[in-house]
Amino acid sequence: MAKSLTSSYKKLMEKEKNLFILGSAGAIVHWDMETKMPPRAIRLRSLQLAMLSRIEHKMSTDPEIGKLLKETMRQPEYDSLDTVQKRNLYLIKKHYDEQTKLPEELVAETAKQEAITIDVWKKAKAAKDFSMFKPELEKLFDLRKKAAGILMEVKKTATPYDALVDIFEPKMTAESISKVFAELREGLISLIKKCEVAPKQPDISVLKRRVPIDIQRKIAESLTELIGYDIKSKEAGGRIDETEHPFTTGYYDDVRITTHYYEDNFASSIFSTLHEGGHAIYEQNLNRDWIFQPVGTACSSGFHESQSRFVENIVGRSREFWIYFLPKLKELTGNILSDGDLDGFVHAVNQVKPSKIRVEADEVTYCLHIIVRFNLERDLFANKITVAELPQIWNQRYKEYLGVDIENDSEGVMQDTHWAGGLFGYFPSYALGNIFSGQILATMEKDVPDWKNQISSGNFQDVKQWLTKNVHHYGNLHDPADLIKRITGEEVSVKPYFNYLYRKYSKLYGF
Ligand code: ZN
């Protein structure tokens, strides 16, 4: 490597390191706001967060980065860089171009409008009144459309909406996602029908038994131990706290999760702990050599979801998992669940029931909620529909896909915070995560054929090691469609996910 190149590459990476350190500090300030902050601190906290984001914006749009990028990429020696270094440069350049092309005024106006829209969304949701929400959502949508138009030029995508999707699933397009989702929708609708008319139906009364919250905390601890997410030892890099909406945040040696405990719904904290635990072990097991480098981050939002859902659903809702964990659960809960039988319990935690609310949806119906949202977003950005038409089309699709009647817009189009927060293009990642998880499972089963036996004896080690080596370790070295191909040898495909679902649910429901 030529000397000048080494020095400009090094300078760039030094700047990146500072950005990662600053970002991780911001994440902790956010985490504190959600978990520990006393109410009166909110004003000071918003000033702190605004200052941190101003500093971050200034650092990440520093013209020096542009200059160093040019120097590094123009060198004839660029070819002598290895794959990791080239990927770092690619990711830095992509981020820098996007950040610098968006006018500061638009960024500031969008941030302001997002805060207003979220605030109005809360009030409109409480009042079940979309007409309150509509004018603010329209303003925010126009701002995001402007940004999408600019990003489309920078990223050279075919449509503005693709430029937004690219933020969460780099290089994936609405066209390719539409094809996959059409197949997904058809398969899921027919699977739901099979479950609905099947001879065996679950009895979910066991899940409604009251389990005191201090016992639920012990259950959550025991789950983190099982999946190897350390929150207890002197070497621990994790911790678990409580928030209404569970989330994961952090970086390498400090990755934190939250859960919520409801006395009359103990299963909720079990599955949210497993879900967030899946996110956390992904972050903790990224390649250690790549810390403070762009390659040392997760591949995409969909890949992140594939890991959380793998732990939550593929492992955590399997019969084998409960062979091991039900006796433990009985032990921890005293006489509350002592009469629960394995098969009844497993069927109960895998009940398939079309519902109105996405975050409460089961494994089989979940993706249909996502497909409704994706189709609406795509058509909105393509000017095929308007913001005003959203509630009506939403309700029609829910009837068509899930067979449910939406009675008001709070349980309909206003149920999620995403659009109110300006987050367009994110929804497809949730369903892509499920699809990826199916493909990853099919590949893992070839390498670790006895994984189910291991899980039934409480051994998660081999599964975790396989995921670390084959998924986590790749970090952001490849875009999602390339990474799935590298891991599985296949293009993005819903077939393995269907195979997994059909195998599991035909046994549970007896069809
Ligand atoms: Zn998640």
Side-chain angles (χ1 to χ4, degrees):
M1 205 191 284
K3 199 173 165 230
S4 56
L5 172 61
T6 318
S7 99
S8 28
Y9 181 80
K10 262 191 190 158
K11 275 186 202 156
L12 259 182
M13 296 315 288
E14 205 48 48
K15 287 190 174 293
E16 285 300 302
K17 181 176 178 180
N18 291 337
L19 272 164
F20 279 109
I21 294 170
L22 183 73
S24 67
I28 295 302
V29 174
H30 253 288
W31 170 86
D32 175 82
M33 182 168 80
E34 301 290 336
T35 55
K36 304 281 174 194
M37 188 183 80
R40 235 168 61 200
I42 186 68
R43 248 194 234 156
L44 177 59
R45 184 54 45 95
S46 61
L47 292 172
Q48 292 164 335
L49 286 168
M51 177 167 289
L52 280 169
S53 81
R54 266 203 308 277
I55 296 171
E56 188 175 3
H57 185 254
K58 199 161 184 243
M59 279 168 68
S60 63
T61 54
D62 180 359
E64 181 73 10
I65 295 181
K67 209 181 115 215
L68 288 167
L69 272 170
K70 260 190 200 147
E71 275 175 29
T72 319
M73 297 184 108
R74 207 191 285 141
Q75 297 277 340
E77 289 89 345
Y78 172 77
D79 288 339
S80 71
L81 292 181
D82 65 27
T83 323
V84 172
Q85 292 168 322
K86 282 181 182 162
R87 180 70 178 175
N88 274 330
L89 287 181
Y90 167 82
L91 292 169
I92 296 169
K93 186 172 185 316
K94 187 176 180 190
H95 186 65
Y96 180 78
D97 286 348
E98 287 167 22
Q99 291 282 307
T100 48
K101 292 281 158 46
L102 286 175
E104 235 173 283
E105 207 181 312
L106 177 62
V107 175
E109 206 185 328
T110 306
K112 205 171 113 200
Q113 186 59 39
E114 278 167 7
I116 295 168
T117 314
I118 289 262
D119 190 52
V120 172
W121 166 72
K122 282 181 191 160
K123 290 174 187 148
K125 194 176 173 185
K128 298 177 182 154
D129 184 0
F130 182 77
S131 70
M132 267 169 84
F133 181 45
K134 189 183 129 246
E136 300 306 332
L137 183 62
E138 279 169 340
K139 282 183 216 160
L140 184 56
F141 169 64
D142 285 341
L143 289 166
R144 288 310 287 153
K145 214 163 129 187
K146 232 182 243 172
I150 296 167
L151 290 174
M152 173 186 159
E153 300 288 318
V154 183
K155 293 165 183 266
K156 302 192 172 44
T157 57
T159 67
Y161 182 59
D162 282 349
L164 298 181
V165 170
D166 182 84
I167 298 171
F168 311 102
E169 296 304 320
K171 291 279 183 329
M172 297 207 69
T173 64
E175 199 190 338
S176 64
I177 295 171
S178 297
K179 271 188 207 142
V180 175
F181 279 8
E183 202 185 337
L184 184 63
R185 190 188 71 183
E186 214 175 291
L188 290 178
I189 289 177
S190 100
L191 178 57
I192 293 166
K193 281 193 184 125
K194 282 198 167 82
C195 292
E196 271 171 349
V197 299
K200 272 162 63 185
Q201 294 294 326
D203 170 9
I204 60 157
S205 59
V206 66
L207 302 178
K208 296 194 172 132
R209 295 195 188 161
R210 299 184 88 83
V211 175
I213 287 175
D214 55 329
I215 294 179
Q216 292 196 39
R217 286 201 186 96
K218 291 202 179 91
I219 298 169
E221 273 181 25
S222 161
L223 292 167
T224 57
E225 208 175 309
L226 176 64
I227 63 167
Y229 169 60
D230 186 1
I231 59 168
K232 264 188 169 168
S233 83
K234 280 189 175 162
E235 293 295 304
R239 56 176 289 137
I240 183 164
D241 291 87
E242 292 166 39
T243 53
E244 197 195 329
H245 298 287
F247 67 92
T248 303
T249 187
Y251 191 57
Y252 281 90
D253 293 323
D254 183 359
V255 182
R256 309 172 184 205
I257 68 169
T258 68
T259 185
H260 51 209
Y261 302 108
Y262 304 124
E263 212 168 69
D264 57 355
N265 184 1
F266 67 90
S268 179
S269 76
I270 291 180
F271 292 110
S272 83
T273 301
L274 289 170
H275 181 96
E276 302 307 329
H279 280 305
I281 55 179
Y282 185 9
E283 287 291 329
Q284 290 191 328
N285 292 315
L286 292 166
N287 191 332
R288 197 143 281 275
D289 296 341
W290 297 346
I291 190 166
F292 304 133
Q293 299 178 33
V295 284
T297 53
C299 168
S300 72
S301 305
F303 255 91
H304 236 304
E305 250 349 79
S306 80
Q307 296 310 290
S308 57
R309 280 170 196 274
F310 198 100
V311 177
E312 177 196 349
N313 291 332
I314 294 178
V315 174
R317 289 184 207 263
S318 69
R319 189 171 189 277
E320 291 74 17
F321 178 83
W322 289 101
I323 290 176
Y324 173 75
F325 204 72
L326 189 58
K328 218 163 166 80
L329 185 63
K330 286 181 179 176
E331 197 186 301
L332 285 163
T333 51
N335 56 8
I336 302 171
L337 302 167
S338 53
D339 58 331
D341 76 295
L342 176 68
D343 288 316
F345 192 86
V346 174
H347 201 174
V349 298
N350 285 294
Q351 186 194 33
V352 176
K353 195 177 179 218
S355 64
K356 300 173 191 176
I357 307 294
R358 174 185 64 89
V359 293
E360 291 163 12
D362 59 79
E363 199 180 4
V364 176
T365 57
Y366 187 86
C367 287
L368 293 175
H369 292 261
I370 298 305
I371 297 171
V372 169
R373 288 154 177 78
F374 164 74
N375 288 342
L376 287 176
E377 283 186 348
R378 182 197 56 199
D379 294 350
L380 201 53
F381 279 87
N383 299 321
K384 287 184 183 160
I385 59 171
T386 63
V387 169
E389 289 169 322
L390 285 176
Q392 189 211 343
I393 307 176
W394 179 288
N395 297 355
Q396 277 171 6
R397 300 269 161 87
Y398 262 75
K399 183 78 186 162
E400 188 189 334
Y401 294 3
L402 287 147
V404 295
D405 291 305
I406 303 293
E407 269 146 46
N408 60 68
D409 295 329
S410 300
E411 59 176 35
V413 72
M414 290 197 293
Q415 65 179 268
D416 297 309
T417 168
H418 299 61
W419 291 344
L423 214 51
F424 294 97
Y426 185 87
F427 279 122
S429 294
Y430 288 117
L432 288 168
N434 280 330
I435 294 170
F436 295 157
S437 74
Q439 294 189 265
I440 290 167
L441 171 67
T443 308
M444 189 193 77
E445 283 185 321
K446 290 178 205 153
D447 293 345
V448 194
D450 69 334
W451 74 276
K452 286 190 169 176
N453 284 333
Q454 296 181 14
I455 296 291
S456 62
S457 58
N459 174 11
F460 184 67
Q461 259 321 88
D462 283 11
V463 171
K464 189 182 169 195
Q465 265 168 23
W466 190 91
L467 292 173
T468 298
K469 182 174 166 243
N470 293 282
V471 183
H472 308 161
H473 234 61
Y474 280 107
N476 200 348
L477 192 57
H478 306 284
D479 290 327
D482 295 336
L483 182 56
I484 206 72
K485 183 143 196 209
R486 187 161 281 263
I487 297 169
T488 66
E490 312 264 339
E491 309 288 336
V492 175
S493 158
V494 297
K495 285 191 183 68
Y497 185 56
F498 278 146
N499 288 344
Y500 153 73
L501 290 177
Y502 269 86
R503 229 166 36 186
K504 176 172 168 180
Y505 287 91
S506 60
K507 246 187 227 158
L508 283 167
Y509 277 85
F511 58 79

